[in-house]
Amino acid sequence: MTPDVKHMKWWGWGEEGVFFNYLNKPGFAPFVKKALAVDLRPRKVDTIAFDPTTVPDSPLPMSLRDALVAATSADHVTVDPHERVVHGHGSSVTELLHVSRGDYGRLPEVVVYPASDAEVAGVLTAAVEQDAVVVPYGGGTNIARSLQLDPAETRPIISLDTGLLDGLRELDEDSGLARVGGGMQGPALEEALNDRGWTLGHMPDSFTHSTVGGWAATRSSGMQSDKYGDIADIVRGMTVVRPSGTVTLRPVPSESTGPSLREMFIGSEGRLGVITELWLQVHRLPAERVVVAYMYPAWKPAVDAIRQIASEEVPTTFVRISDGNETGFSLATQKAATTVKKKVEAAAQAGLWALMRRRGWDTDQMCISYVCFEGSADDVARRRKAVDKIARSHGALSLGTGPGALYDQKKFDTPYLRDFLLEQDVMGDVSETAAPWSKLNGVHRAVYAAAQKAFAQLDRTGWVMCHLSHSYHAGACLYFTFAFKVGEHPDAEYALVKSSIQQAFVDAGGTLSHHHGVGMEHAPWMEQVVSAEGVAIMRTLFEATDPGAHLNPGKVIDAPVTLFDQLS
């Protein structure tokens, strides 16, 4: 029997039976018609039945199967077709496009569920001895193709599922440190901590399905990083199992012990070993949490306000602003007002927009912002007052807590929209960067220009929008969403748009990714952002620590499949 580990549906994002529904959002279809020149049609597919006969039999060598069973148990080693398909891809839009159409690509020969560090070590030993490849698998949420398998790989591929390496194992309340299994998923960890009055505060978009070890392996960042930090700030210690031994890093507040091994493993995407356990910095649950919405007249004053909040060190949990295009999109996803209360709110909103236009606002350029405050009631009131003052000085209007509460409730739902768009023959995806404050607006302009140029080359009406989040003293993250109707060559069309955006990041002074990792998707730009010598050092590290290329090869650098292959 296959272990009872939660996975997403095999053909798309999230859980079966959960969908994006536009029929109760009267502004959405007209918005898409204007933005993409696409007439939406009602959803036709509730699910895609899995047909195991479409999956080729696994050519797993019996000697390797016996070794894996000896390392774990017979119940934890499977060649089941459904398991192999689930573990054969991540959640990039191109992977899901192909999988949903029955094009599975390269699949692992076997899926293994080790339940301890010793079993992980046994799996890795077997892989090295029998010249197999091991790809660690957490929640399957990665969108940078860190889980995509090399179609030219002829050796057996083992998908090592970390789902049984879970649990809140220890809570040091004096130090605010939690010892957690690397395969524990976000909701389970947060529930376990909340039950004891604590929170991790790490909330990436993938939170509902991703794992703690996956966060560390891809150097993720959660939407509340302004207060709680990125995962590199949160991880204080870890255990990493390798074929040659186990690395144990103790949870200390800081240390001077040469180059940081902790930093080396964070973001390594499985190329240096399997992260089986982590020590994480945790925090007491706040007494109060409030999300306040503001509306700015345009992008530049909104960015100036966020920069001022950061420079004046006003403590916030998160600060986010959407540019004019994303604000328009957000308004288009509002549900129809069906109750008296909602109808009153809708009328009030329409009146507010009319007032803004009379004051000279271009409502197509206005930018909505959400600011989250946590702490005691006095702390929240004081910080909110400080932000209110800054926002007003840059021309913003406060919309109160109503829109902010709705945002807080729906913040993990956006990925379902991508599946809906794929059914409409529309590719919608995201790409994010980080840049210094002095370059941020230039990056914003450059990406819009690059995307529109790519859309023109395809002779398509396309859409791009952006929000700013994850603020730092030196700069912030810009998170772009783009969409266009695909034609006969979706892979090549996507490659043109995505690579244009990525190159614009680098050329305008940003990085290739703020928190989605590298994988195969972003590997071609590594030399431009870390230098040729930097890539050479990484290559030396990977070759020295994994001379047989058994650990998720081709990720971070030297990708065997790149976007540029589609453009040649």
Side-chain angles (χ1 to χ4, degrees):
M1 177 182 293
T2 303
D4 183 18
V5 172
K6 172 189 167 188
H7 295 121
M8 295 194 294
K9 58 194 178 196
W10 68 271
W11 57 273
W13 180 270
E15 301 174 7
E16 292 279 7
V18 180
F19 308 101
F20 175 83
N21 178 22
Y22 79 93
L23 295 176
N24 60 356
K25 303 172 180 65
F28 191 72
F31 174 88
V32 172
K33 177 68 173 178
K34 180 179 179 181
L36 298 173
V38 170
D39 292 308
L40 293 181
R41 57 182 183 271
R43 188 182 73 250
K44 296 179 179 179
V45 175
D46 287 341
T47 188
I48 300 177
F50 181 75
D51 181 0
T53 65
T54 62
V55 182
D57 291 340
S58 171
L60 178 68
M62 186 58 67
S63 60
L64 179 55
R65 180 187 179 93
D66 290 344
L68 296 174
V69 169
T72 57
S73 70
D75 289 342
H76 291 179
V77 178
T78 179
V79 295
D80 175 76
H82 183 270
E83 286 281 317
R84 291 172 58 218
V85 169
V86 166
H87 289 82
H89 62 87
S91 295
S92 72
V93 67
T94 51
E95 288 174 285
L96 294 184
L97 172 70
H98 285 277
V99 170
S100 65
R101 296 179 177 183
D103 177 10
Y104 304 134
R106 178 68 162 92
L107 294 176
E109 274 72 14
V110 62
V111 179
V112 183
Y113 290 87
S116 67
D117 288 4
E119 291 190 0
V120 172
V123 170
L124 297 182
T125 297
V128 172
E129 289 179 348
Q130 303 211 25
D131 196 21
V133 171
V134 177
V135 179
Y137 185 98
T141 60
N142 181 267
I143 65 171
R145 294 194 290 130
S146 297
L147 294 171
Q148 183 174 334
L149 307 180
D150 180 0
E153 179 60 74
T154 59
R155 297 174 295 175
I157 298 178
I158 303 165
S159 178
L160 189 156
D161 193 300
T162 62
L164 298 181
L165 304 168
D166 64 349
L168 174 58
R169 300 171 177 181
E170 185 178 348
L171 181 59
D172 179 350
E173 299 200 14
D174 291 333
S175 307
L177 291 168
R179 184 166 63 92
V180 180
M184 194 171 194
Q185 295 195 359
L189 173 57
E190 196 63 20
E191 182 180 358
L193 288 170
N194 290 175
D195 286 345
R196 298 173 68 170
W198 293 81
T199 181
L200 183 68
H202 188 71
M203 303 283 179
D205 288 348
S206 62
F207 170 79
T208 52
H209 302 285
S210 53
T211 64
V212 179
W215 299 340
T218 56
R219 195 173 282 272
S220 78
S221 185
M223 57 187 70
Q224 301 184 150
S225 66
D226 290 2
K227 174 180 178 179
Y228 297 103
D230 301 321
I231 198 66
D233 305 306
I234 294 170
V235 173
R236 305 315 312 156
M238 64 173 67
T239 300
V240 182
V241 179
R242 295 178 30 76
S244 55
T246 297
V247 178
T248 302
L249 303 178
R250 296 183 299 171
V252 294
S254 186
E255 59 186 335
S256 178
T257 52
S260 172
L261 289 171
R262 180 178 63 87
E263 280 287 323
M264 185 176 73
F265 286 117
I266 295 174
S268 58
E269 301 188 13
R271 294 210 60 175
L272 296 175
V274 181
I275 300 172
T276 59
E277 184 175 88
L278 301 103
W279 282 95
L280 307 172
Q281 194 76 61
V282 294
H283 303 257
R284 288 286 186 185
L285 282 170
E288 187 167 321
R289 175 186 173 90
V290 174
V291 181
V292 181
Y294 300 88
M295 190 70 81
Y296 289 86
W299 175 251
K300 186 179 184 304
V303 174
D304 290 343
I306 305 310
R307 185 177 72 245
Q308 185 175 344
I309 292 170
S311 66
E312 293 187 10
E313 300 183 355
V314 181
T316 60
T317 300
F318 66 77
V319 180
R320 170 181 171 137
I321 54 169
S322 296
D323 68 5
N325 277 10
E326 188 170 281
T327 299
F329 165 81
S330 298
L331 295 174
T333 60
Q334 290 180 320
K335 291 183 178 180
T338 57
T339 65
V340 173
K341 179 182 178 182
K342 291 296 182 182
K343 290 178 181 178
V344 170
E345 291 175 352
Q349 177 177 290
L352 180 60
W353 293 178
L355 174 63
M356 290 174 174
R357 285 190 288 269
R358 287 196 297 272
R359 290 184 175 183
W361 285 38
D362 180 349
T363 49
D364 289 333
Q365 296 300 315
M366 64 186 185
C367 300
I368 195 165
S369 172
Y370 299 101
V371 183
C372 179
F373 306 94
E374 290 182 339
S376 68
D378 288 343
D379 288 337
V380 168
R382 183 173 62 254
R383 295 164 186 172
R384 181 175 176 180
K385 182 178 180 180
V387 170
D388 281 349
K389 182 179 178 181
I390 292 171
R392 286 197 306 272
S393 73
H394 292 278
L397 296 175
S398 175
L399 304 182
T401 58
L406 183 61
Y407 164 79
D408 221 20
Q409 294 167 11
K410 301 294 184 181
K411 57 181 177 281
F412 300 125
D413 294 348
T414 305
Y416 287 100
L417 174 60
R418 195 174 52 165
D419 289 356
F420 168 78
L421 291 175
L422 278 178
E423 192 190 345
Q424 307 285 328
D425 299 319
V426 171
M427 267 193 162
D429 202 12
V430 296
S431 201
E432 36 72 53
T433 186
W437 291 112
S438 60
K439 297 181 182 294
L440 216 58
N441 287 326
V443 172
H444 186 263
R445 291 191 297 270
V447 171
Y448 265 76
Q452 294 301 338
K453 181 179 178 181
F455 296 146
Q457 286 180 255
L458 296 175
D459 194 23
R460 306 284 163 72
T461 301
W463 181 255
V464 62
M465 60 188 183
C466 176
H467 66 257
L468 180 155
S469 56
H470 309 283
S471 301
Y472 306 88
H473 284 288
C477 166
L478 292 179
Y479 192 107
F480 292 87
T481 301
F482 60 93
F484 62 96
K485 186 173 180 63
V486 296
E488 296 180 0
H489 307 286
D491 289 305
E493 294 161 8
Y494 173 83
L496 174 63
V497 178
K498 179 66 184 287
S499 62
S500 298
I501 291 173
Q502 290 296 134
Q503 193 61 53
F505 287 164
V506 177
D507 290 345
T511 187
L512 60 83
S513 176
H514 172 261
H515 59 264
H516 284 160
V518 184
M520 292 186 187
E521 188 92 339
H522 303 141
W525 288 272
M526 282 292 283
E527 190 170 301
Q528 295 183 55
V529 296
V530 304
S531 77
E533 183 64 13
V535 169
I537 290 172
M538 288 188 183
R539 185 175 296 115
T540 300
L541 171 66
F542 293 145
E543 290 176 353
T545 57
D546 182 26
H550 299 290
L551 302 177
N552 204 17
K555 309 302 163 36
V556 183
I557 60 171
D558 302 328
V561 180
T562 75
L563 292 172
F564 294 111
D565 296 336
Q566 298 294 334
L567 300 177
S568 58

